[in-house]
Amino acid sequence: MTSTTFRIGGDLGVRRLGFGAMHLPTEPGPARANSLAVARRAVELGVTLIDTAHMYGGGANEELLAEALHPYPEEMLVTTKVGIARSSPEEEWRLDGRPAVLRDQVEQALRRLRVERIELLQLHRIDPGTPLADQLGTLRELRDEGKIGRIGLSEVTVDELDRARRIVDIASVQNRYNLLDREHEPVLTACEAAGIAFLPWRPVAWGKSGAEADIAAVAKSLDATPTQVALAWLLGHSPAVLPIPGTARIAHLEENLAADALRLAPEHRDLLDRLAVPGAPPVS
């Protein structure tokens, strides 16, 4: 039976099916009130892993989660990301892994999330303009100071992951990955072998119409939705996968979180496994 939990860094237990907060509106008014309700409903439904980032509103998303959930349940992990910055709201976001910027964004996240330590802090992107040793060295220093518990990466190759692991322990990787987009399968394989959590962003995305039809057919046979099928496939594909689907609607949230109770039959999984494999023969 597929495990519904994973220990990030070998010790931090979370429910594998989490929640991505990126899509939650943060501006004042009814939209913000709805966002607060969605975040609280996620916790009510048993979510223990919520993903945010400095880039999501320049910290506004972090503040929203703190307003909704602080004081956090003991088992709750709110992970955030740093390393993308802009000088003003009018400027474009850019990669910025300079030590002073990373340290400042971590300090801001601690304040906005109302915590003394971020249990999982991820580097949003590797900045090619700053030595990797300087970027990860800064995060290691923050970890040694007790402000970070574990360090993760996002959008990295196998080679970049290997290089990073020679500098500091890596607890998680957050790459784009879903049923129809498996470009980073080698990274997932490396994570699974090393016991590193793999958090696919954009965990549900549809491709060609033929693939959509196959997914819809599986969903119909299981009295489920295509989204639930895609998430169930992820959970069964590797024990290291921790999907973080995002939504701003409670109904969609509830649909997503029901996916970890969905069981795909072997013939369903065989069909789905072939969807993103060029030239794969049809299932007989």
Side-chain angles (χ1 to χ4, degrees), residues 8-263:
I8 299 176
D11 62 345
L12 185 61
V14 296
R15 178 181 175 182
R16 287 177 60 202
L17 189 50
F19 175 67
M22 180 179 70
H23 298 293
L24 295 179
T26 58
E27 62 272 13
R32 183 182 183 88
N34 179 73
S35 293
L36 296 171
V38 170
R40 290 165 181 156
R41 182 60 176 152
V43 174
E44 290 174 358
L45 293 171
V47 167
T48 57
L49 168 61
I50 296 181
D51 174 80
T52 184
H54 175 85
M55 182 183 175
Y56 306 160
N61 198 266
E62 295 170 336
E63 292 178 335
L64 175 83
L65 292 175
E67 180 181 343
L69 304 176
H70 191 273
Y72 306 104
E74 184 176 350
E75 69 278 9
M76 173 58 59
L77 168 63
V78 177
T79 175
T80 192
K81 299 182 287 293
V82 298
I84 297 183
R86 61 182 178 182
S87 299
S88 70
E90 292 75 30
E91 290 194 2
E92 295 292 325
W93 291 99
R94 67 187 186 283
L95 302 183
D96 197 336
R98 291 175 296 171
V101 171
L102 296 181
R103 183 172 284 275
D104 179 61
Q105 289 188 358
V106 169
E107 294 289 355
Q108 290 183 47
L110 289 167
R111 174 177 54 80
R112 289 172 171 144
L113 290 171
R114 308 179 198 175
V115 295
E116 295 182 357
R117 168 169 144 144
I118 298 167
E119 292 298 338
L120 176 63
L121 188 286
Q122 300 176 97
L123 185 63
H124 209 147
R125 296 289 189 276
I126 292 176
D127 175 10
T130 303
L132 182 62
D134 290 353
Q135 297 176 69
L136 295 181
T138 299
L139 299 186
R140 182 179 57 208
E141 291 171 1
L142 288 161
R143 185 195 64 187
D144 293 344
E145 294 168 15
K147 295 179 179 180
I148 294 173
R150 297 152 196 82
I151 297 167
L153 302 171
S154 182
E155 281 302 285
V156 293
T157 64
V158 171
D159 178 65
E160 288 169 336
L161 176 59
D162 288 342
R163 288 168 51 208
R165 294 182 67 206
R166 289 195 286 269
I167 299 170
V168 70
D169 291 337
I170 299 298
S172 70
V173 168
Q174 187 168 330
N175 278 20
R176 188 192 71 253
Y177 186 88
N178 57 66
L179 175 56
L180 299 178
D181 178 359
R182 304 182 212 172
E183 175 186 349
H184 294 295
E185 189 77 37
V187 181
L188 170 56
T189 299
C191 287
E192 185 176 338
I196 295 171
F198 185 89
L199 284 64
W201 64 268
R202 197 181 293 162
V204 177
W206 308 128
K208 298 179 180 178
S209 59
E212 290 186 24
D214 287 332
I215 298 168
V218 172
K220 183 177 180 180
S221 71
L222 295 173
D223 192 24
T225 67
T227 295
Q228 289 172 332
V229 168
L231 291 172
W233 179 86
L234 278 172
L235 291 168
H237 185 59
S238 168
V241 170
L242 283 65
I244 46 171
T247 180
R249 296 192 297 115
I250 287 180
H252 193 195
L253 171 73
E254 294 172 345
E255 173 191 337
N256 290 344
L257 295 179
D260 62 5
L262 186 65
R263 298 292 174 259

